[in-house]
Amino acid sequence: ARWGLPGPLPSCFGEWTHEALARHLWLRMFSRPGDTNPQVPRLPGACLALHLARLQSIGRLDEAFADKMAITDWCARIRQASLQVIWVPAAEVILAPRSTLPATWPATQLAYEDCYRFFRKHEGRIWAAVLGVGHFIRLSLLVLIWLLPLIFSGFTTAMRHRWQTYAKLWYWHACLCPAARIHHAGNR
């Protein structure tokens, strides 16, 4: 797996489209020919390096977040400190391939919780609520849309797992996203 592509900071639009469309539009809008080291909002964690003096002023990763959002939060704090996050396209990190097994329910729930936590911290409670309403509407549609392929596929394991994940997420949002009873600081 290749890491190193920068991306925009989380937004409601990006979260509702699973970042794919937001990242595509962001790369098209902000990539400039000849710009060898452009300033970017965030980078994947495997690609970050920070001078020790800057680390002491910005602080370490926030352990209230799991992996991905801790790094995103860190990039946001770097930018809030009037520092730059710079992408060096020539630098490339190659990691061992990840398993293609579907994510577990607790991991999926923690990812959504982290997203809401990030929005509350950096955008405020109103935007976190707007994001939650948007996710609920999107998940309502996905539960209905994926019901037909589930039925016509003969309830294959992969289709059933995908539909169950959407249904659990929908139910969790309908219950106003109660906090998970899992301590995820040890997931690093």
Side-chain angles (χ1 to χ4, degrees):
R2 293 179 184 272
W3 286 67
L5 282 180
L9 287 173
S11 66
C12 286
F13 174 73
E15 292 301 319
W16 293 332
T17 61
H18 286 292
E19 294 186 0
L21 185 57
R23 181 184 298 269
H24 174 75
L25 292 174
W26 183 86
L27 284 173
R28 290 181 61 90
M29 288 171 38
F30 294 103
S31 58
R32 296 179 188 95
D35 193 357
T36 56
N37 295 332
Q39 180 180 344
V40 296
R42 71 171 176 177
L43 287 169
C47 301
L48 290 175
L50 189 66
H51 192 276
L52 184 59
R54 301 286 189 241
L55 175 64
Q56 291 169 343
S57 67
I58 292 164
R60 297 180 180 270
L61 294 175
D62 186 343
E63 291 187 12
F65 294 104
D67 297 327
K68 179 183 172 191
M69 290 311 270
I71 294 159
T72 301
D73 171 66
W74 203 41
C75 287
R77 287 188 286 138
I78 289 170
R79 292 174 53 86
Q80 287 169 355
S82 300
L83 298 171
Q84 297 177 346
V85 177
I86 297 175
W87 176 36
V88 180
E92 189 175 273
V93 176
I94 301 176
L95 301 173
R98 292 183 174 185
S99 170
T100 57
L101 294 174
T104 63
W105 165 246
T108 303
Q109 183 180 359
L110 287 175
Y112 273 81
E113 284 182 0
D114 268 0
C115 182
Y116 293 131
R117 190 175 293 116
F118 179 88
F119 268 75
R120 282 191 302 273
K121 182 176 181 178
H122 293 282
E123 304 295 334
R125 291 190 177 278
I126 292 174
W127 280 108
V130 167
L131 179 65
V133 169
H135 274 149
F136 182 76
I137 292 168
R138 183 178 149 273
L139 290 165
S140 298
L141 293 171
L142 286 172
V143 165
L144 294 173
I145 290 169
W146 279 95
L147 194 56
L148 288 175
L150 176 67
I151 293 168
F152 289 121
S153 72
F155 295 92
T156 62
T157 303
M159 293 295 262
R160 190 174 64 246
H161 178 77
R162 174 173 269 180
W163 187 84
Q164 285 174 336
T165 301
Y166 289 143
K168 283 181 180 179
L169 281 171
W170 179 88
Y171 180 74
W172 182 67
H173 279 82
C175 294
L176 301 177
C177 307
R181 293 189 176 114
I182 299 168
H183 180 67
H184 63 273
N187 286 355
R188 294 182 198 277

